[in-house]
Amino acid sequence: MLVLLPPSEGKAASGRGAPLKPESLSLPGLAGARAAVLDELVELCAADEEKAREVLGLSEGLRGEVAKNAELRTAGARPAGEIYTGVLYDALDLASLDAAAKKRAARSLLVFSGLWGAVRVTDRIPSYRCSMGVKLPGLGALGAYWRAPMAEVLPEVAGGGLVLDLRSAAYATAWKPKGAVAGRTATVRVLHAPTRKVVSHFNKATKGRIVRSLLASKAAPESPAELVDALRDLKYAVEVEEPSKGGQAWSLDVLVDEVH
């Protein structure tokens, strides 16, 4: 099972660990594309704070993020699973999983990123600010920029198993599973059952809990149908829209009555 996650806008501090070693990151096929984004982002943020703030869409209160980006090559690095914070990652709570579940997380979780393309939760990265919606002056819109390198690398990473796609819309633009991979892909919405509406905070928290439940339970679904069974066994209320033809993703709605 491969689980595709969005990052978090807010991130933990880099800390005092050893700096980034780009060659150590997973998915080495993305190395060239990563280097190009890193080079432009660091140069932009080091040269012109106001322009960088405009490009990155940062408020006055987030001005310090520009300086942080300028020092990405020398800042301390930590596992991505510690860098990413926010509602989904609080609910996932990787640090409190047992050793076996952490190993499953290391194998199966893939976090999408405007800067790195995608990383494993064990990859050591510095704290940064660069969403997939950013349009860099030289490289253009990052969602579009990442499509070609992702299309080369991700099908092999997905292999022959289930792909559980929990990304937000902005990050889904960077890679759309196609063909046989799409047929093994399930996307998930979380709906507040009484209103049948998506509420962002609850959506993120429930997705984090879903991933945690799957990792902790040792469930190993190999297809969207098996995923539905696994989630129902874990007491989630799931409604399914099966694709009308091959090569299309399954759509799952997880219904929650009380959300927190």
Side-chain angles (χ1 to χ4, degrees):
M1 178 174 66
L2 180 68
V3 182
L4 310 181
L5 297 174
S8 57
E9 284 298 311
K11 298 173 182 70
S14 293
R16 298 182 179 180
L20 171 72
K21 296 180 179 179
E23 69 278 4
S24 72
L25 298 179
S26 303
L27 284 61
L30 299 178
R34 286 169 175 154
V37 179
L38 180 63
D39 285 348
E40 182 168 356
L41 182 63
V42 170
E43 182 177 349
L44 170 68
C45 292
D48 190 330
E49 183 179 272
E50 287 304 318
K51 182 178 180 181
R53 193 160 66 87
E54 179 182 349
V55 168
L56 296 173
L58 299 177
S59 66
E60 176 66 30
L62 293 173
R63 181 180 292 273
E65 299 291 281
V66 175
K68 183 168 69 175
N69 281 349
E71 299 174 352
L72 283 172
R73 290 195 180 89
T74 56
R78 296 167 58 187
E82 298 177 11
I83 290 289
Y84 294 118
T85 58
V87 176
L88 187 154
Y89 291 91
D90 285 347
L92 174 53
D93 195 8
L94 286 168
S96 69
L97 290 171
D98 65 30
K102 285 179 180 176
K103 288 181 180 179
R104 288 190 286 275
R107 292 194 303 267
S108 62
L109 304 188
L110 196 66
V111 184
F112 275 60
S113 163
L115 174 54
W116 313 114
V119 292
R120 303 282 190 186
V121 293
T122 50
D123 285 334
R124 298 182 63 85
I125 59 173
S127 184
Y128 67 95
R129 191 72 174 227
C130 184
S131 73
M132 193 66 79
V134 164
K135 185 176 181 180
L136 291 175
L139 297 177
L142 291 177
Y145 169 80
W146 281 111
R147 285 175 198 154
M150 289 289 195
E152 290 289 327
V153 172
L154 266 293
E156 182 178 353
V157 176
L162 168 70
V163 177
L164 174 54
D165 189 351
L166 302 178
R167 296 173 296 168
S168 55
Y171 289 88
T173 63
W175 182 58
K176 182 178 180 180
K178 296 181 179 179
V181 178
R184 298 191 303 272
T185 297
T187 62
V188 173
R189 293 190 308 173
V190 179
L191 301 182
H192 186 212
T195 63
R196 308 292 296 188
K197 292 182 179 180
V198 175
V199 183
S200 178
H201 176 90
F202 308 136
N203 178 55
K204 294 175 183 178
T206 302
K207 286 180 176 179
R209 286 193 284 271
I210 285 171
V211 177
R212 181 179 178 85
S213 296
L214 290 169
L215 294 172
S217 71
K218 304 180 184 179
E222 297 181 358
S223 68
E226 290 184 11
L227 173 65
V228 172
D229 290 339
L231 291 176
R232 287 174 175 165
D233 288 343
L234 291 166
K235 308 305 181 185
Y236 289 96
V238 183
E239 294 181 352
V240 186
E241 182 179 338
E242 296 185 26
S244 58
K245 58 183 180 180
Q248 294 181 332
W250 288 47
S251 297
L252 278 56
D253 286 341
V254 174
L255 307 179
V256 291
D257 291 312
E258 295 185 5
V259 283
H260 52 83

